[in-house]
Amino acid sequence: QVQLVESGGGSVQPGGSLRLSCASSGFSLANYAIGWFRQAPGEEREGVSCIDSRFGGTYYADSVKSRFTISRDNGRDTVYLQMNSLKPEDTAVYYCAAGMWCSGVVGGSGSRFAEHWGQGTLVSVSS
């Protein structure tokens, strides 16, 4: 069965950190670009980061640049999103998705990018 599984979400105070993981089963992540998307209550889903498959180029939304870091371990078929200095406005369900190219991922909904989606993991930032 082909699937992506996110983990690592939770509740943190402002300024805290979390590391999200996106693991694949049934296929190899190494052949795909991986994007991280988030959807806050009442808002549209938005792409916040992406990492290329081949050369590992990374892309970030302005809202998370310098706070979030995306990385991949192809040997483990896993992509990570390290989130530091979290803010209440980062509260959302975070999804990872696998596609071909990172072009258009950041700021987009992922509808044209994603061939596979994970089920999402909730990140809640509050004091």
Side-chain angles (χ1 to χ4, degrees):
Q1 182 179 3
V2 172
Q3 62 178 351
L4 291 171
V5 179
E6 300 98 336
S7 61
S11 296
V12 296
Q13 294 185 338
S17 297
L18 286 171
R19 188 177 79 158
L20 305 184
S21 298
C22 172
S24 68
S25 64
F27 72 104
S28 174
L29 279 185
N31 300 321
Y32 290 85
I34 303 298
W36 281 98
F37 298 79
R38 67 185 182 187
Q39 187 166 22
E43 297 189 13
E44 299 291 321
R45 187 174 59 210
E46 63 167 348
V48 296
S49 186
C50 191
I51 186 165
D52 285 333
S53 61
R54 190 170 182 185
F55 298 110
T58 58
Y59 308 87
Y60 300 95
D62 287 345
S63 59
V64 306
K65 200 171 293 183
S66 80
R67 300 188 298 121
F68 290 11
T69 303
I70 192 170
S71 61
R72 65 191 304 153
D73 183 343
N74 288 338
R76 296 178 182 268
D77 275 331
T78 303
V79 170
Y80 304 98
L81 187 68
Q82 178 67 44
M83 306 187 297
N84 298 328
S85 302
L86 283 162
K87 304 175 180 180
E89 51 264 43
D90 294 318
T91 294
V93 177
Y94 284 71
Y95 302 89
C96 65
M100 283 296 100
W101 310 106
C102 281
S103 177
V105 167
V106 171
S109 70
S111 58
R112 294 193 173 198
F113 164 77
E115 297 184 24
H116 308 290
W117 283 99
Q119 83 290 348
T121 185
L122 177 63
V123 171
S124 179
V125 185
S126 68
S127 54

